[in-house]
Amino acid sequence: MAYSFISIDQQDAVLVLTIQRPDQLNALNKATIEELNLALNEADQNTSIRCVIITGSGTKAFVAGADIKEFAGFSVEQGEALSRDGHNLLFNRVENMSKPVIAAVNGFALGGGLELAMSCHFRYASENAKLGLPEVTLGVIPGYGGTQRLAQLVGKGKAMEMITSAQMIGAAEAKEWGLVNQVVPQEELLNTCMTIAQKIATNSPRAISAALRSVLSGYSYAESGLNTEIKEFGECFGTADFKEGTTAFMEKRKPTFEGK
Ligand code: COA
């Protein structure tokens, strides 16, 4: 299968998936999400692969979010579908992989980018990484699992602060908060991820998939939270604040919100 928005590189038992839209800071458009879904399905079936690393191309961004230009004109129904399809095709898909998926966060991980990193089983970051959920600056909320997974990873209070303030945190703070496990210079990031991935690849794949299922089953309560998120995300698309937020982003200016 030839991909347009991702590249795939298998080194021994480790598959590296790289999102290839550097001029748009690797923003997740529909086609990229679909390609990642296909690649993940294949990787899950392929017994020669025992660990997956997801990263972004270039030195600036892991993923700067969902593609704002693509969804700016969406209706409430389309917004809800965007969120639901994203959960099914990518974010829940990553989390439910039978082999560990590591996020190599090589720069900005914003909105859907941080949500993708949080769907992975754990994260390493480069020193220049910046992480945040800036959706409320666009008049919308995190719609790819961020309202649930951020609270699981850093606790409710820090998640509330990050989501409502839309402020980014740096790599060192992300490590202190438990959002990433390790911080290394950018040029060492992939090799560092590769080293732990190769270690994982020597362990029992059967036991590892059982461990992943067991850890995740403890978080199944988040199911109703995800459904609330999908509905609330969709409803934002019918608001004047959403129109103002997305228009301001595309016009490269600050938004003015009236709360309608
Ligand atoms: N969706 C669509 N396009 C995006 C994008 C996104 N989430 N993030 C960045 N881009 C595009 C920019 O529009 C720009 O495209 P252009 O050259 O055609 O104008 C290009 O990527 C480079 O981004 P730019 O904003 O010029 O880089 P910067 O260094 O000034 O700022 C960021 C970097 C990450 C701070 C800024 O791009 C940003 O705020 N992005 C959106 C983050 C966000 O809100 N994500 C949540 C989405 S739900």
Side-chain angles (χ1 to χ4, degrees):
M1 157 96 201
Y3 293 106
S4 305
F5 298 108
I6 62 172
S7 62
I8 294 185
D9 177 29
Q10 186 171 350
Q11 296 177 29
D12 302 321
V14 181
L15 190 78
V16 181
L17 296 179
T18 306
I19 298 160
Q20 295 284 357
R21 295 187 79 206
D23 56 329
Q24 298 296 302
L25 305 186
N26 302 319
L28 293 174
N29 58 357
K30 188 167 180 274
T32 305
I33 289 177
E34 287 169 354
E35 289 191 3
L36 283 165
N37 172 264
L38 283 178
L40 289 162
N41 288 343
E42 277 182 30
D44 216 15
Q45 297 300 316
N46 185 340
T47 50
S48 77
I49 297 168
R50 293 189 172 191
C51 191
V52 177
I53 297 171
I54 299 182
T55 194
S57 56
T59 53
K60 192 168 169 183
F62 171 68
V63 167
D67 191 321
I68 299 164
K69 293 160 191 162
E70 193 175 67
F71 70 55
F74 277 14
S75 64
V76 167
E77 291 72 28
Q78 287 173 309
E80 196 174 315
L82 178 75
S83 174
R84 181 172 295 106
D85 293 347
H87 280 96
N88 292 336
L89 289 174
L90 183 57
F91 298 84
N92 291 345
R93 184 72 197 83
V94 170
E95 190 170 73
N96 292 321
M97 286 284 284
S98 62
K99 42 203 90 182
V101 184
I102 305 169
V105 180
N106 59 311
F108 285 115
L110 302 177
L114 178 53
E115 291 172 301
L116 177 60
M118 292 192 296
S119 300
C120 293
H121 298 116
F122 61 91
R123 293 141 289 285
Y124 285 3
S126 57
E127 286 166 344
N128 66 321
K130 291 218 171 336
L131 303 90
L133 292 177
E135 283 86 349
V136 296
T137 67
L138 298 162
V140 72
I141 66 167
Y144 285 147
T147 63
Q148 307 306 301
R149 294 193 181 103
L150 185 63
Q152 288 168 8
L153 283 163
V154 304
K156 194 160 79 171
K158 288 190 172 95
M160 291 290 198
E161 182 180 347
M162 278 185 79
I163 292 170
T164 58
S165 71
Q167 275 178 352
M168 298 178 207
I169 59 171
E173 203 169 3
K175 177 156 185 269
E176 196 185 310
W177 288 14
L179 192 48
V180 304
N181 292 5
Q182 234 192 100
V183 178
V184 295
Q186 185 162 56
E187 56 281 10
E188 290 169 24
L189 179 63
L190 262 192
N191 275 345
T192 310
C193 291
M194 191 53 82
T195 302
I196 188 74
Q198 301 282 15
K199 173 78 188 84
I200 287 167
T202 63
N203 297 328
S204 156
R206 173 67 185 76
I208 284 178
S209 60
L212 294 176
R213 282 194 300 277
S214 300
V215 173
L216 289 169
S217 75
Y219 294 92
S220 56
Y221 65 84
E223 189 68 27
S224 72
L226 289 175
N227 287 329
T228 302
E229 179 188 278
I230 293 169
K231 197 165 177 306
E232 293 283 356
F233 180 83
E235 282 174 9
C236 290
F237 281 64
T239 66
D241 277 4
F242 173 73
K243 192 158 182 18
E244 166 61 7
T246 51
T247 305
F249 175 79
M250 289 183 291
E251 292 175 356
K252 298 187 186 288
R253 63 169 171 82
K254 286 211 178 314
T256 308
F257 292 119
E258 293 184 1
K260 293 182 195 144

